[in-house]
Amino acid sequence: MSDDETGTTRRWRVGELAEAAGLTVRALHHYEHLGLLVPSRTEANHRFYDRGDVERLYRIRALRELGLSLPEIAQTLRAAPGALRDALRDHLARAEQELTRITELRDRLRHLCDRAETSVDASALLGAVEAMSRVEHHIAARQAAGRPERGFEDRWRALGVDLRACMDDGEPPSSTRARELARRVQARLHAFTGGDQATLEALARLRRDAPPQELAGWTPALFRYLDGALAALEDEVEP
């Protein structure tokens, strides 16, 4: 197969291909070391690349743009055709997880920026950041231990609906109904934290200093009402 009008098969030296592809010679050498793109050799042992190598390089660059690592690309190119579909699905799942993480980070930063624009004490903001970190580490540890929060949002949304009904009806946080709901919330919090006092305190600090604007139907006002009901529970047991 010829690549130009003279009938000569086009060949690229390593420097020419690197320049045309926007890569460094070192990068092409690395691809060769990984077995991703192995050039042919002249009798003088100089590297050269042909049309098939250029097509393979295009596939490598396309997969790289999708975020696949070089080992993943090497495995995909070596495997059966269906492996590409599986690799892309796996990468999509990771991208969606990362998108969720970035979205949550954006929401936290937005909330902290809003708080920073008010006359909030800097130590309170720092404490909120520390509390966020502690809660995040606790969630990550639970997930790593195979204890995902199945049905978490539905359960909290239902509790929030019931507690909001108390608040909207004008009942004080110390009312019997509000205290009973606070007791159920307290049980959920203890189940989530495993009774770890530091994590419970971190959650309390977040409710007070950096409550989410909207979390499964819960608003800052509802969190304040909850804290009032929890305080009423503490008063019950005090001598």
Side-chain angles (χ1 to χ4, degrees), residues 146-161:
R147 291 180 291 177
E149 306 305 316
R150 294 188 181 90
F152 172 86
E153 183 171 341
D154 291 340
R155 291 194 295 270
W156 278 99
R157 189 176 298 278
L159 280 171
V161 168

Side-chain angles (χ1 to χ4, degrees), residues 68-209:
L68 271 69
S69 67
L70 292 179
E72 287 174 326
I73 293 172
Q75 182 178 1
T76 299
L77 293 178
R78 287 195 303 266
L84 175 59
R85 180 185 63 252
D86 294 338
L88 292 178
R89 285 176 176 170
D90 289 344
H91 188 65
L92 174 61
R94 292 197 300 272
E96 289 176 340
Q97 291 175 352
E98 182 66 10
L99 178 60
T100 298
R101 188 188 70 80
I102 291 296
T103 300
E104 292 173 350
L105 175 61
R106 179 206 62 190
D107 292 343
R108 290 197 300 271
L109 289 173
R110 180 180 292 163
H111 182 68
L112 287 175
C113 286
D114 291 342
R115 296 279 292 174
E117 291 173 358
T118 65
S119 56
V120 177
D121 184 80
S123 62
L125 284 174
L126 185 58
V129 171
E130 182 182 0
M132 286 178 182
S133 178
R134 178 175 291 277
V135 173
E136 287 171 355
H137 279 107
H138 179 77
I139 292 173
R142 284 179 63 89
Q143 292 174 340
R147 291 180 291 177
E149 306 305 316
R150 294 188 181 90
F152 172 86
E153 183 171 341
D154 291 340
R155 291 194 295 270
W156 278 99
R157 189 176 298 278
L159 280 171
V161 168
D162 291 342
L163 194 63
R164 181 176 293 280
C166 292
M167 185 174 68
D168 291 345
D169 288 345
E171 296 185 24
S174 58
S175 70
T176 300
R177 183 164 61 142
R179 284 186 285 113
E180 178 56 34
L181 288 168
R183 191 173 287 108
R184 289 166 56 190
V185 170
Q186 195 175 58
R188 292 287 184 195
L189 292 175
H190 276 273
F192 169 72
T193 63
D196 179 67
Q197 189 61 35
T199 306
L200 284 168
E201 291 174 359
L203 289 169
R205 180 152 202 165
L206 289 178
R207 292 197 306 271
R208 182 182 69 248
D209 294 338

